[in-house]
Amino acid sequence: MSDYIGRFAPSPTGPLHAGSLVAAMASYLDAKAHHGQWLVRIEDVDEVRTVTGAAESILLALAACGMQWDGEPVWQSRRTDLYAAAFARLHTHTYACGCTRREIADSRVGIAADGAALYPGTCRNGLARGKIPRTFRLRVPAANELDECICVEDRWVGTVTQHLATEVGDFVLKRADGIWAYQLAVVVDDAAQGVTDVVRGMDLLDSTARQIYLQRLLQLPTPHYLHVPVVVNAIGEKLSKQTGAMALNVSRPLTALHSAAQFLGLALPEAGSIDDFWRQAIAAWRLRLAG
Ligand code: GLU
């Protein structure tokens, strides 16, 4: 076994579907191609979006596809103390913000890379008059400060540079409903689980600079990153429960596995069994991406 540790980190908002299978497969193949471990982490920190039974159904679907994880799956909802501790360590970089979404949208200082309105900085130097704290934000570096630009070295797309102040803005670590933000939880967990390689969908490439910045502030190692293309529907939206993705048909795993491998650009012969499929897919992945 090498020192490679990878992970699949689904949000249990619905069952595994053709899109999430691609992310699961890419992370699994990369771990296996490196003779590494493959962990599963259930990202249920956002209780509002969590659907009862979805995590269990995802785990069953992974098992039906022959994707066996190492160790016990980790559940973010049981780890909130760790996020609180990391947040406390960041106290010189965070501030309470009393702005509503509407106020931020109306301020029109700019649009972030993900299409949301950039935070105008209203509460950056103290809660604005008459406001009550809603969220807690992380202050990103201003012009000419250290880490103003973060470079992501991605194994699929190459180098991507993000300028935090103009492309992201001060971002939320603790939401108005008290829930820890994905960006904080993912950084804490990847480090706590010793993850060396993050393999996930391209939709999260935009989050990576924020995660690297948090790793630096918390003095945590930065893993290697590989962002694979995401499956989209007929009108170009990422497949998800919200965009009408159908649950994977676990009674015919080979069909689903073949389509996912094809989407990832692996040309594989028909496999007679799930074991055969993985043998071929791991060999093909190794040739293409594991060097
Ligand atoms: N939980 C996230 C999702 O399902 C993935 C997080 C990650 O891989 O970093 O979109």
Side-chain angles (χ1 to χ4, degrees), residues 95-99 119-129 131-132 137 139 170:
Y95 61 90
C97 170
C99 300
Y119 182 63
T122 321
C123 300
R124 207 169 205 241
N125 298 310
L127 210 55
R129 242 186 130 87
K131 287 195 186 292
I132 48 159
R137 289 180 184 274
R139 199 177 288 116
D170 292 352

PDB file of all heavy atoms in Angstrom, residues 95-99 119-129 131-132 137 139 170:
ATOM      1  N   TYR A  95     -14.866  37.707  10.687  1.00  0.00           N
ATOM      2  CA  TYR A  95     -15.675  38.782  11.283  1.00  0.00           C
ATOM      3  C   TYR A  95     -17.160  38.464  11.135  1.00  0.00           C
ATOM      4  O   TYR A  95     -17.557  37.715  10.230  1.00  0.00           O
ATOM      5  CB  TYR A  95     -15.334  40.142  10.653  1.00  0.00           C
ATOM      6  CG  TYR A  95     -15.570  40.265   9.164  1.00  0.00           C
ATOM      7  CD1 TYR A  95     -16.799  40.696   8.663  1.00  0.00           C
ATOM      8  CD2 TYR A  95     -14.557  39.970   8.254  1.00  0.00           C
ATOM      9  CE1 TYR A  95     -17.007  40.831   7.292  1.00  0.00           C
ATOM     10  CE2 TYR A  95     -14.759  40.100   6.886  1.00  0.00           C
ATOM     11  CZ  TYR A  95     -15.989  40.526   6.411  1.00  0.00           C
ATOM     12  OH  TYR A  95     -16.208  40.658   5.064  1.00  0.00           O
ATOM     13  N   ALA A  96     -17.929  39.027  12.048  1.00  0.00           N
ATOM     14  CA  ALA A  96     -19.379  38.854  11.994  1.00  0.00           C
ATOM     15  C   ALA A  96     -19.933  39.787  10.939  1.00  0.00           C
ATOM     16  O   ALA A  96     -19.487  40.937  10.808  1.00  0.00           O
ATOM     17  CB  ALA A  96     -19.987  39.180  13.351  1.00  0.00           C
ATOM     18  N   CYS A  97     -20.902  39.302  10.191  1.00  0.00           N
ATOM     19  CA  CYS A  97     -21.485  40.101   9.120  1.00  0.00           C
ATOM     20  C   CYS A  97     -23.000  40.129   9.306  1.00  0.00           C
ATOM     21  O   CYS A  97     -23.607  39.101   9.589  1.00  0.00           O
ATOM     22  CB  CYS A  97     -21.112  39.461   7.782  1.00  0.00           C
ATOM     23  SG  CYS A  97     -21.991  40.153   6.379  1.00  0.00           S
ATOM     24  N   GLY A  98     -23.568  41.301   9.155  1.00  0.00           N
ATOM     25  CA  GLY A  98     -25.016  41.424   9.360  1.00  0.00           C
ATOM     26  C   GLY A  98     -25.779  41.643   8.069  1.00  0.00           C
ATOM     27  O   GLY A  98     -26.973  41.953   8.092  1.00  0.00           O
ATOM     28  N   CYS A  99     -25.094  41.507   6.933  1.00  0.00           N
ATOM     29  CA  CYS A  99     -25.752  41.812   5.656  1.00  0.00           C
ATOM     30  C   CYS A  99     -26.636  40.663   5.186  1.00  0.00           C
ATOM     31  O   CYS A  99     -26.283  39.500   5.341  1.00  0.00           O
ATOM     32  CB  CYS A  99     -24.710  42.090   4.577  1.00  0.00           C
ATOM     33  SG  CYS A  99     -23.649  43.486   4.996  1.00  0.00           S
ATOM     34  N   TYR A 119     -19.115  40.064  -2.092  1.00  0.00           N
ATOM     35  CA  TYR A 119     -19.437  40.760  -0.849  1.00  0.00           C
ATOM     36  C   TYR A 119     -18.769  42.142  -0.856  1.00  0.00           C
ATOM     37  O   TYR A 119     -17.564  42.250  -1.088  1.00  0.00           O
ATOM     38  CB  TYR A 119     -18.955  39.947   0.360  1.00  0.00           C
ATOM     39  CG  TYR A 119     -19.327  40.621   1.640  1.00  0.00           C
ATOM     40  CD1 TYR A 119     -20.665  40.805   1.957  1.00  0.00           C
ATOM     41  CD2 TYR A 119     -18.364  41.136   2.494  1.00  0.00           C
ATOM     42  CE1 TYR A 119     -21.037  41.479   3.107  1.00  0.00           C
ATOM     43  CE2 TYR A 119     -18.729  41.809   3.656  1.00  0.00           C
ATOM     44  CZ  TYR A 119     -20.067  41.976   3.950  1.00  0.00           C
ATOM     45  OH  TYR A 119     -20.438  42.653   5.082  1.00  0.00           O
ATOM     46  N   PRO A 120     -19.532  43.199  -0.610  1.00  0.00           N
ATOM     47  CA  PRO A 120     -18.960  44.550  -0.728  1.00  0.00           C
ATOM     48  C   PRO A 120     -18.068  44.972   0.442  1.00  0.00           C
ATOM     49  O   PRO A 120     -17.485  46.052   0.405  1.00  0.00           O
ATOM     50  CB  PRO A 120     -20.205  45.443  -0.803  1.00  0.00           C
ATOM     51  CG  PRO A 120     -21.263  44.664  -0.100  1.00  0.00           C
ATOM     52  CD  PRO A 120     -20.974  43.215  -0.345  1.00  0.00           C
ATOM     53  N   GLY A 121     -17.970  44.171   1.484  1.00  0.00           N
ATOM     54  CA  GLY A 121     -17.073  44.519   2.589  1.00  0.00           C
ATOM     55  C   GLY A 121     -17.704  45.393   3.649  1.00  0.00           C
ATOM     56  O   GLY A 121     -17.008  45.940   4.515  1.00  0.00           O
ATOM     57  N   THR A 122     -19.014  45.526   3.625  1.00  0.00           N
ATOM     58  CA  THR A 122     -19.721  46.427   4.545  1.00  0.00           C
ATOM     59  C   THR A 122     -19.344  46.209   6.020  1.00  0.00           C
ATOM     60  O   THR A 122     -19.143  47.179   6.758  1.00  0.00           O
ATOM     61  CB  THR A 122     -21.255  46.224   4.382  1.00  0.00           C
ATOM     62  OG1 THR A 122     -21.536  46.035   3.004  1.00  0.00           O
ATOM     63  CG2 THR A 122     -22.046  47.375   4.954  1.00  0.00           C
ATOM     64  N   CYS A 123     -19.247  44.968   6.456  1.00  0.00           N
ATOM     65  CA  CYS A 123     -19.006  44.677   7.889  1.00  0.00           C
ATOM     66  C   CYS A 123     -17.552  44.287   8.163  1.00  0.00           C
ATOM     67  O   CYS A 123     -17.225  43.824   9.258  1.00  0.00           O
ATOM     68  CB  CYS A 123     -19.930  43.553   8.352  1.00  0.00           C
ATOM     69  SG  CYS A 123     -21.682  43.943   8.164  1.00  0.00           S
ATOM     70  N   ARG A 124     -16.702  44.468   7.174  1.00  0.00           N
ATOM     71  CA  ARG A 124     -15.308  44.014   7.266  1.00  0.00           C
ATOM     72  C   ARG A 124     -14.563  44.587   8.474  1.00  0.00           C
ATOM     73  O   ARG A 124     -13.762  43.924   9.113  1.00  0.00           O
ATOM     74  CB  ARG A 124     -14.605  44.451   5.985  1.00  0.00           C
ATOM     75  CG  ARG A 124     -13.461  43.574   5.632  1.00  0.00           C
ATOM     76  CD  ARG A 124     -12.970  43.891   4.236  1.00  0.00           C
ATOM     77  NE  ARG A 124     -12.327  42.692   3.745  1.00  0.00           N
ATOM     78  CZ  ARG A 124     -11.049  42.630   3.407  1.00  0.00           C
ATOM     79  NH1 ARG A 124     -10.303  43.708   3.429  1.00  0.00           N
ATOM     80  NH2 ARG A 124     -10.520  41.488   3.018  1.00  0.00           N
ATOM     81  N   ASN A 125     -14.824  45.850   8.760  1.00  0.00           N
ATOM     82  CA  ASN A 125     -14.095  46.468   9.874  1.00  0.00           C
ATOM     83  C   ASN A 125     -15.008  46.719  11.064  1.00  0.00           C
ATOM     84  O   ASN A 125     -14.890  47.710  11.776  1.00  0.00           O
ATOM     85  CB  ASN A 125     -13.433  47.766   9.403  1.00  0.00           C
ATOM     86  CG  ASN A 125     -12.430  47.476   8.305  1.00  0.00           C
ATOM     87  OD1 ASN A 125     -11.589  46.600   8.447  1.00  0.00           O
ATOM     88  ND2 ASN A 125     -12.563  48.173   7.178  1.00  0.00           N
ATOM     89  N   GLY A 126     -15.943  45.830  11.264  1.00  0.00           N
ATOM     90  CA  GLY A 126     -16.892  45.979  12.374  1.00  0.00           C
ATOM     91  C   GLY A 126     -18.304  45.946  11.825  1.00  0.00           C
ATOM     92  O   GLY A 126     -18.537  46.437  10.711  1.00  0.00           O
ATOM     93  N   LEU A 127     -19.180  45.396  12.611  1.00  0.00           N
ATOM     94  CA  LEU A 127     -20.570  45.251  12.195  1.00  0.00           C
ATOM     95  C   LEU A 127     -21.144  46.633  11.866  1.00  0.00           C
ATOM     96  O   LEU A 127     -21.005  47.565  12.659  1.00  0.00           O
ATOM     97  CB  LEU A 127     -21.333  44.610  13.365  1.00  0.00           C
ATOM     98  CG  LEU A 127     -22.529  43.742  13.067  1.00  0.00           C
ATOM     99  CD1 LEU A 127     -22.172  42.605  12.102  1.00  0.00           C
ATOM    100  CD2 LEU A 127     -23.041  43.152  14.379  1.00  0.00           C
ATOM    101  N   ALA A 128     -21.732  46.748  10.703  1.00  0.00           N
ATOM    102  CA  ALA A 128     -22.274  48.053  10.308  1.00  0.00           C
ATOM    103  C   ALA A 128     -23.378  48.458  11.291  1.00  0.00           C
ATOM    104  O   ALA A 128     -24.052  47.612  11.869  1.00  0.00           O
ATOM    105  CB  ALA A 128     -22.806  47.979   8.888  1.00  0.00           C
ATOM    106  N   ARG A 129     -23.534  49.736  11.482  1.00  0.00           N
ATOM    107  CA  ARG A 129     -24.508  50.322  12.426  1.00  0.00           C
ATOM    108  C   ARG A 129     -25.900  49.718  12.266  1.00  0.00           C
ATOM    109  O   ARG A 129     -26.385  49.575  11.142  1.00  0.00           O
ATOM    110  CB  ARG A 129     -24.631  51.815  12.089  1.00  0.00           C
ATOM    111  CG  ARG A 129     -24.221  52.736  13.163  1.00  0.00           C
ATOM    112  CD  ARG A 129     -24.566  54.147  12.666  1.00  0.00           C
ATOM    113  NE  ARG A 129     -25.312  54.877  13.691  1.00  0.00           N
ATOM    114  CZ  ARG A 129     -24.694  55.562  14.642  1.00  0.00           C
ATOM    115  NH1 ARG A 129     -23.382  55.600  14.679  1.00  0.00           N
ATOM    116  NH2 ARG A 129     -25.400  56.211  15.541  1.00  0.00           N
ATOM    117  N   LYS A 131     -26.878  46.753  12.627  1.00  0.00           N
ATOM    118  CA  LYS A 131     -26.993  45.378  12.124  1.00  0.00           C
ATOM    119  C   LYS A 131     -26.736  44.365  13.240  1.00  0.00           C
ATOM    120  O   LYS A 131     -25.952  44.625  14.145  1.00  0.00           O
ATOM    121  CB  LYS A 131     -25.976  45.135  11.005  1.00  0.00           C
ATOM    122  CG  LYS A 131     -26.328  45.829   9.714  1.00  0.00           C
ATOM    123  CD  LYS A 131     -25.509  45.244   8.592  1.00  0.00           C
ATOM    124  CE  LYS A 131     -25.698  45.977   7.293  1.00  0.00           C
ATOM    125  NZ  LYS A 131     -27.037  45.818   6.739  1.00  0.00           N
ATOM    126  N   ILE A 132     -27.393  43.230  13.126  1.00  0.00           N
ATOM    127  CA  ILE A 132     -27.104  42.138  14.059  1.00  0.00           C
ATOM    128  C   ILE A 132     -26.327  41.056  13.300  1.00  0.00           C
ATOM    129  O   ILE A 132     -26.522  40.886  12.097  1.00  0.00           O
ATOM    130  CB  ILE A 132     -28.394  41.548  14.689  1.00  0.00           C
ATOM    131  CG1 ILE A 132     -29.435  41.272  13.590  1.00  0.00           C
ATOM    132  CG2 ILE A 132     -28.965  42.445  15.765  1.00  0.00           C
ATOM    133  CD1 ILE A 132     -30.473  40.269  14.005  1.00  0.00           C
ATOM    134  N   ARG A 137     -17.702  35.644   8.260  1.00  0.00           N
ATOM    135  CA  ARG A 137     -16.960  35.592   6.996  1.00  0.00           C
ATOM    136  C   ARG A 137     -15.464  35.549   7.230  1.00  0.00           C
ATOM    137  O   ARG A 137     -14.962  36.054   8.240  1.00  0.00           O
ATOM    138  CB  ARG A 137     -17.242  36.859   6.168  1.00  0.00           C
ATOM    139  CG  ARG A 137     -18.620  36.905   5.608  1.00  0.00           C
ATOM    140  CD  ARG A 137     -18.870  38.167   4.783  1.00  0.00           C
ATOM    141  NE  ARG A 137     -20.254  38.131   4.373  1.00  0.00           N
ATOM    142  CZ  ARG A 137     -20.687  37.504   3.277  1.00  0.00           C
ATOM    143  NH1 ARG A 137     -19.831  36.958   2.434  1.00  0.00           N
ATOM    144  NH2 ARG A 137     -21.968  37.468   2.992  1.00  0.00           N
ATOM    145  N   ARG A 139     -11.946  36.997   5.907  1.00  0.00           N
ATOM    146  CA  ARG A 139     -11.392  38.133   5.162  1.00  0.00           C
ATOM    147  C   ARG A 139     -10.365  37.588   4.166  1.00  0.00           C
ATOM    148  O   ARG A 139      -9.435  36.884   4.567  1.00  0.00           O
ATOM    149  CB  ARG A 139     -10.703  39.051   6.173  1.00  0.00           C
ATOM    150  CG  ARG A 139     -10.468  40.454   5.727  1.00  0.00           C
ATOM    151  CD  ARG A 139      -9.833  41.292   6.831  1.00  0.00           C
ATOM    152  NE  ARG A 139     -10.749  41.610   7.918  1.00  0.00           N
ATOM    153  CZ  ARG A 139     -10.605  41.207   9.170  1.00  0.00           C
ATOM    154  NH1 ARG A 139      -9.577  40.469   9.531  1.00  0.00           N
ATOM    155  NH2 ARG A 139     -11.483  41.539  10.099  1.00  0.00           N
ATOM    156  N   ASP A 170     -14.811  38.108   0.394  1.00  0.00           N
ATOM    157  CA  ASP A 170     -14.829  37.541   1.749  1.00  0.00           C
ATOM    158  C   ASP A 170     -15.946  36.493   1.803  1.00  0.00           C
ATOM    159  O   ASP A 170     -17.100  36.807   1.503  1.00  0.00           O
ATOM    160  CB  ASP A 170     -15.104  38.644   2.776  1.00  0.00           C
ATOM    161  CG  ASP A 170     -13.936  39.630   2.872  1.00  0.00           C
ATOM    162  OD1 ASP A 170     -12.870  39.366   2.269  1.00  0.00           O
ATOM    163  OD2 ASP A 170     -14.105  40.677   3.539  1.00  0.00           O
TER     164      ASP A 170
END
